């Protein structure tokens, strides 16, 4: 059997999102709006399979065929008859649920591959003897033989997502290196093109000269488009001795379905802003235009307090090894009015609270653009995982001048972060009850501060295309050096493009640090209803949760490559290091032996030293983070951040040794079962499923009732067209084509 870190355990936690009451309160028109937006999100989410690994689309198509022909209970009888034990069949269900939940065979949180926890020959018997195989034997066998080796393989390069020798990714062709990614980013910056909706494919011409295809996601390919802002971009460029060809049409048939549902949603929009927002999203996905998506995002920002909230597109860049390309995601949710009222009070206090952050006023935005901040109950969240909160859009220019929105996903927080005492690791016994009682409330406070005042704070110093600066070069002084500002962002440069591989984690660290820093403010805690001893307990548990998370983060560090696989967890480890460095016994991490005789550890936080020791240390660190970010000082930012993110076995903590302990006692992240909506006549019904691996599988089996087989064909065709870019698919199983000949539609550029 595989190493435990590469499997999902049979007892993995599974929870269902509860949005029944919020959905019940929607009007018939609002339900129709939510339904079509949800359909758009679910269709678009399939693109994530093509953004993850070469084999992911085939695995999904194979599972989809299996469970469309037989539900989990029916397939169970067949599996037991084929000689599987109950445990082995449950392991298969957990694996399948994991594929659906992560939209691929790599964990969304940590980017680690997971494989089936049962013998391959037994799984083969289940698949080839299934009803799906009986109906379509050649197609099912071909799918299995295409993906079976990669489904189980734990070759070193395939264990994690990464670029070049560091791992596997389908944001880049398999022959791309970090140097190629940097060159491509420089090219994109030179043309003022965003990387968010692109993938990069490298080839070599007859003279051995590299050539690159920058492929934009769009419905349209080479078709002429009158008056399209993108038409003039679709051509060949010479850049630093290499040829770049900008093309489009990535995920075209998937995005066509997204567009169709967005068009239907427009008929039920609540106002003209929503209509214009959706029209721009349609333009963006049709043409491949990020500028159109920005225009849609402007209307979205202006649509304050909608009953049905949503966002869709190529959004977060966490899983791009270079940190610039966005994973497709879409969410649809309903407002939770009680918690939203608290967030509105926090927004009302934001301008005053921003003044308490430890950097000079010149490093803060010229004007605070009052954002929407709501607590939402999620109906649909497509992509590779569901976060606890979101601060979007991610476009730097919009955030600096137009604003943003914050959302806290209340029903996700309620189930995903619930803790059982017996599974609570690395805490002192006398901290556990307090932690369980206050973790939820303290997390509400942290998410609110993190999203609104963490991601929502700070200014980027920019020189625009006309040479004008958005800061006074004569009077603004760098508080770290005492000198005038020496560096800034040029036209076309963004936070992601300049700081690339550390951008996401650095920004998460800054936002988390703001949350810890401002939760010490009594005014903040009063907004959330906490005073006196309760307020002090919320502060203590919030800080304790962060230092514990810093230790748990070691699961997501890879010693072999000295690299981190998860931005948020790297950020929390950095904060742990900062607080340990503060000294005076504020935080200690001590190796111990558990009651089971195996290695264990304990984290301790001295609550009496949080303000006198922890706050000044965090203040110094936060100021440095912001100054380096504002000035675009990449060298300084990397030196600071990568210094704290280094994991060694130096005493006293010996983090590499502690990592083994963390892996020994880690708990797998929960799987979340989401409902479906179904249009019956003119009414929309909510379909809910049980909190189990089988329930999660059923939710996906019923997600695309009208075009499931078509979607399987689309995914395998798209994967087959690009298969040559990954050498793993150039070698077929004995006697087999690497993918069905009917599915090959090879791209050329």
């Amino acid at each position: 059997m595989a190493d435990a870190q590469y499997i999902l355990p049979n007892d993995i936690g599974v929870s269902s999102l509860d949005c029944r009451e919020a959905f019940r309160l929607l009007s018939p028109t609002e339900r129709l709006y939510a339904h079509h937006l949800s359909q758009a999100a679910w269709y678009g989410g399939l693109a994530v399979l093509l953004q993850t690994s070469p084999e992911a689309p085939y695995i999904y198509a194979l599972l989809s065929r299996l469970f469309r022909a037989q539900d989990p209970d029916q397939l169970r009888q067949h599996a037991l008859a084929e000689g599987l034990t109950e445990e082995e069949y449950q392991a298969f269900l957990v694996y399948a649920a994991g594929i659906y939940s992560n939209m691929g065979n790599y964990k969304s949180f940590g980017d680690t591959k997971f494989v089936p926890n049962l013998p391959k020959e037994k799984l083969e018997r289940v698949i080839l003897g299934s009803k799906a195989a009986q109906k379509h034997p050649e197609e099912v066998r071909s799918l299995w033989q295409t993906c079976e080796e990669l489904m189980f393989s734990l070759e070193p390069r395939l264990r994690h997502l990464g670029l070049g020798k560091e791992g596997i990714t389908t944001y880049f062709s398999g022959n791309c290196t970090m140097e190629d990614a940097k060159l491509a980013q420089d090219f994109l910056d030179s043309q003022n093109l965003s990387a968010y909706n692109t993938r990069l494919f490298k080839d070599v011409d007859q003279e051995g000269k590299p050539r690159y295809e920058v492929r934009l996601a769009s419905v349209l390919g080479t078709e002429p488009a009158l008056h399209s802002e993108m038409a003039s971009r679709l051509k060949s460029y010479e850049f630093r001795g290499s040829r770049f060809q900008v093309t489009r049409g990535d995920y075209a048939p998937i995005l066509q379905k997204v567009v169709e549902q967005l068009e239907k949603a427009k008929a039920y929009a609540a106002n003209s802003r929503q209509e214009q927002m959706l029209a721009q999203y349609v333009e963006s996905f049709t043409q491949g235009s990020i500028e159109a998506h920005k225009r849609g995002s402007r209307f979205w920002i202006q649509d304050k307090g909608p009953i049905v909230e949503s966002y869709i597109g190529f959004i977060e860049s966490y899983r791009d090894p270079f940190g610039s390309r966005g994973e497709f995601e879409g969410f649809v949710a309903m407002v939770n009015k009680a918690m939203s009222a608290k967030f509105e009070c926090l927004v009302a206090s934001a301008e005053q609270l921003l003044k308490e952050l430890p950097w000079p006023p010149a490093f803060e935005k010229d004007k605070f653009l009052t954002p929407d901040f709501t607590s939402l109950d999620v109906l649909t969240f497509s992509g590779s995982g569901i976060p606890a909160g979101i601060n979007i859009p991610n476009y730097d220019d919009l955030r600096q001048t137009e604003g943003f929105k914050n959302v806290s996903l209340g029903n996700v927080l309620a189930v995903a972060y619930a803790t059982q005492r017996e599974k609570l690791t690395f805490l002192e016994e006398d901290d556990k009850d307090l932690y369980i009682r206050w973790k939820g409330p303290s997390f509400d406070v942290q998410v609110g501060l993190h999203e609104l005042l963490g991601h929502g704070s700070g200014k980027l110093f920019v020189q625009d295309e006309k040479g004008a600066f958005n800061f006074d070069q004569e009077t603004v002084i760098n508080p770290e050096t005492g000198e005038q500002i020496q560096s800034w962002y040029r036209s076309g440069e963004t936070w992601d493009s300049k700081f690339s591989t550390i951008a996401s984690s650095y920004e998460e660290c800054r936002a988390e640090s703001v949350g810890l820093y401002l939760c010490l403010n009594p005014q903040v805690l009063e907004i959330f209803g906490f005073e006196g001893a309760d307020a002090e307990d919320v502060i203590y548990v919030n800080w304790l949760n962060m230092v514990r998370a810093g230790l748990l983060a070691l699961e997501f560090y890879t010693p072999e490559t000295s690299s981190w696989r998860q931005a948020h967890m790297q950020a929390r480890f950095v904060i742990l290091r900062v607080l340990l460095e503060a000294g005076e016994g504020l935080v200690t991490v001590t190796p111990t032996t558990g009651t089971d005789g195996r290695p264990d550890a304990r984290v301790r936080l001295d609550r009496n030293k949080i303000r006198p020791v922890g706050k000044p240390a965090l203040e110094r660190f936060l100021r440095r983070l912001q100054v380096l970010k504002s000035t675009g000082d990449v060298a300084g930012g990397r030196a600071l951040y990568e210094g704290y993110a280094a994991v060694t076995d130096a005493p006293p903590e010996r983090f590499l040794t502690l990592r083994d302990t963390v892996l020994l006692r880690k708990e797998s992240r929960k799987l979340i079962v989401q409902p479906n909506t179904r249009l019956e006549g003119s009414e929309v019904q909510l379909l809910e499923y049980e909190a189990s691996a089988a329930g999660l599988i059923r939710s996906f089996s019923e997600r695309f009732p009208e075009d499931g087989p078509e979607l399987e064909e689309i995914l395998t065709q798209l994967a087959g067209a690009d298969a040559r870019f990954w050498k793993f698919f150039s070698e077929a199983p004995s006697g087999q084509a690497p993918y069905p000949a009917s599915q090959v539609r090879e791209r050329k550029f």
Side-chain angles (χ1 to χ4, degrees), residues 525-543:
L525 296 169
E526 286 175 13
I527 289 171
F528 285 88
F530 306 119
E531 298 180 359
D534 285 353
E536 292 302 310
D537 284 345
V538 167
I539 292 169
Y540 176 65
V541 170
N542 195 32
W543 280 59

Side-chain angles (χ1 to χ4, degrees), residues 30-100:
E30 290 163 349
R31 290 186 184 187
L32 285 162
Y33 183 65
H35 167 71
H36 290 298
L37 289 177
S38 292
Q39 289 299 107
W42 287 127
Y43 280 127
L46 296 174
V48 178
L49 294 160
L50 295 155
Q51 294 179 308
T52 300
S53 70
E55 68 274 14
Y58 296 100
I59 296 173
Y60 175 93
L62 179 61
L63 294 174
S64 182
R65 279 183 177 269
L66 282 181
F67 292 114
R68 197 172 63 252
Q70 292 171 281
D71 78 10
D73 288 342
Q74 294 169 335
L75 192 61
R76 173 179 172 274
Q77 300 305 318
H78 161 62
L80 297 181
E82 289 288 352
L84 272 70
T85 65
E86 290 280 6
E87 291 74 19
E88 288 169 336
Y89 183 62
Q90 178 63 19
F92 171 55
L93 292 185
V94 166
Y95 175 77
I99 295 292
Y100 290 136

Side-chain angles (χ1 to χ4, degrees), residues 386-446:
I386 311 178
I390 318 171
N391 177 286
I392 41 182
N394 287 329
Y395 306 120
D396 291 338
D397 49 350
L398 290 192
R399 296 175 64 81
Q400 297 287 315
T401 60
E402 307 276 345
F404 51 87
K405 280 188 181 183
N406 299 275
V407 295
S408 174
L409 305 179
N411 59 342
V412 176
L413 286 169
V415 298
Y417 297 92
T419 305
Q420 295 177 300
R421 195 182 197 281
E422 61 271 18
K423 292 188 175 182
L424 195 52
T425 55
F426 307 129
L427 293 182
E428 297 284 4
E429 284 298 316
D430 54 5
D431 275 335
K432 288 184 177 180
D433 290 335
L434 193 70
Y435 182 90
I436 289 170
R437 179 181 177 187
W438 292 109
K439 183 188 177 186
S442 72
F443 204 63
D444 285 335
V445 174
Q446 179 68 11

Side-chain angles (χ1 to χ4, degrees), residues 29 46 209 421 430 447 743:
T29 300
L46 296 174
K209 184 178 176 182
R421 195 182 197 281
D430 54 5
V447 168
Q743 295 172 1

Side-chain angles (χ1 to χ4, degrees), residues 327-381:
E327 181 177 277
F328 193 98
E329 70 178 40
F331 78 84
V332 183
M334 294 80 69
V335 173
N336 179 317
K337 293 183 178 180
M339 181 57 76
S340 294
K342 296 179 181 179
F343 289 141
E344 287 171 11
C345 291
L346 188 64
V347 170
S349 304
E351 285 191 86
Q352 188 60 40
L353 292 171
L354 282 171
K355 296 176 183 177
E356 300 201 14
L357 292 173
W359 48 78
F363 287 74
E364 194 49 68
K365 294 183 182 72
D366 300 334
K367 180 182 178 182
F368 180 70
L369 302 165
T370 305
D372 224 11
F373 197 170
T374 50
S375 177
L376 304 175
D377 285 341
V378 171
L379 170 65
T380 296
F381 204 112

Side-chain angles (χ1 to χ4, degrees), residues 171-223:
Y171 283 114
F172 299 85
S173 57
N175 56 351
C176 282
T177 64
M178 192 59 74
E179 288 67 34
D180 294 314
K182 291 175 182 175
L183 178 65
Q185 186 63 57
D186 289 345
F187 163 73
L188 290 168
D189 289 345
S190 75
Q191 299 300 319
N192 203 21
L193 275 171
S194 171
Y196 270 119
N197 66 339
T198 70
R199 291 197 290 168
L200 184 71
F201 299 86
K202 179 183 178 182
D203 211 340
V204 179
D205 64 19
Q206 293 179 344
E207 300 174 0
K209 184 178 176 182
R211 56 182 184 177
Y212 300 90
E213 178 192 10
V214 175
R215 190 189 304 165
L216 310 178
S218 68
V219 175
L220 294 178
T222 57
E223 304 91 333

